[in-house]
Amino acid sequence: MIDQDLLERTIAFHGHFCPGLLIGYRAAVIALRELGVKRAVDEELVAIAETDACGVDAVQFLTGCTIGKGNLILRDWGKQVFSFARRSDGRMVRVALRHGATFREEDQSLSDVERRQRARDRMQTMSDEDLYDVRWVEAPLPGPARLFASVRCSQCGEGVMEARAHLRDGQPVCPECYGEVYTRRG
Ligand SMILES: [Zn+2]
Ligand SMILES: [Zn+2]
């Protein structure tokens, strides 16, 4: 049922094998199948993750929706919910982990570590239906990534995306020098 080779490569990308990774792994497999698409080379696929936890790495690795390409949107809502859309026609599928799906009464007495272990084992054999609520939804898609001009910060001299620069005395200043992030050393 699970492509062990693909799973191994996903684990190698993430660094360890945890239940969270499997949540994203199986959600991504479902989405690619439902949408009838392969891993996105460019931005033809868009993913929205409602968590910033481990599963996001599986989503990035399997679907090609990544932070860097701008076709992975992180909504830090603390929910194990992943939505995926095709740009060609806007079709979007939402894959939501069912609350408590991987937990069993007998786990009650176990330690956290053992409980996670059990969840991980179960998640490899449970059916898609038992694990997730999968439905087609409609939601506006973010626009494709845009290329912004870079300007020179008048304080540090480093380049900064024009859209991120501030103006101080009419001169462009990067967020760092503007004091938005932290105070620069020296
Ligand atoms: Zn993890
Ligand atoms: Zn600067």
Side-chain angles (χ1 to χ4, degrees):
M1 185 171 159
I2 282 190
D3 179 338
Q4 288 300 327
D5 176 58
L6 189 59
L7 179 60
E8 286 302 326
R9 286 188 286 136
T10 310
I11 295 165
F13 174 76
H14 181 55
H16 62 220
F17 188 24
C18 60
L21 189 71
L22 266 176
I23 295 172
Y25 178 97
R26 295 211 39 189
V29 169
I30 291 171
L32 293 176
R33 187 187 65 220
E34 292 296 319
L35 289 166
V37 293
K38 296 224 184 311
R39 190 177 193 281
V41 172
D42 206 345
E43 295 179 54
E44 59 271 31
L45 207 60
V46 177
I48 300 168
E50 298 183 21
T51 172
D52 65 352
C54 297
V56 177
D57 276 357
V59 166
Q60 295 197 88
F61 188 72
L62 293 181
T63 68
C65 294
T66 68
I67 291 283
K69 276 194 295 197
N71 57 344
L72 170 64
I73 294 144
L74 273 189
R75 293 189 180 141
D76 192 8
W77 294 347
K79 298 181 72 177
Q80 295 286 11
V81 177
F82 302 91
S83 300
F84 304 84
R86 283 193 301 240
R87 260 201 203 289
S88 57
D89 59 2
R91 282 281 273 170
M92 183 182 282
V93 65
R94 181 179 187 274
V95 185
L97 184 75
R98 294 184 194 280
H99 181 63
T102 62
F103 182 79
R104 298 289 175 275
E105 270 321 302
E106 73 233 36
D107 295 349
Q108 206 76 54
S109 57
L110 301 176
S111 69
D112 278 357
V113 174
E114 288 171 316
R115 216 177 280 173
R116 282 167 61 80
Q117 183 93 41
R118 292 274 178 97
R120 202 182 74 180
D121 293 346
R122 269 181 209 124
M123 236 182 289
Q124 292 184 71
T125 53
M126 283 176 73
S127 70
D128 291 344
E129 295 69 31
D130 286 342
L131 269 180
Y132 302 97
D133 174 52
V134 181
R135 62 179 75 178
W136 295 97
V137 292
E138 281 189 38
L141 287 186
R146 287 186 290 156
L147 295 175
F148 288 101
S150 171
V151 295
R152 189 183 167 92
C153 170
S154 59
Q155 304 270 293
C156 66
E158 292 174 354
V160 57
M161 193 191 282
E162 196 170 16
R164 296 278 188 276
H166 298 269
L167 282 180
R168 185 183 282 156
D169 302 327
Q171 297 300 313
V173 179
C174 75
E176 225 178 320
C177 293
Y178 197 72
E180 213 176 64
V181 189
Y182 53 84
T183 310
R184 189 176 269 275
R185 283 171 291 140

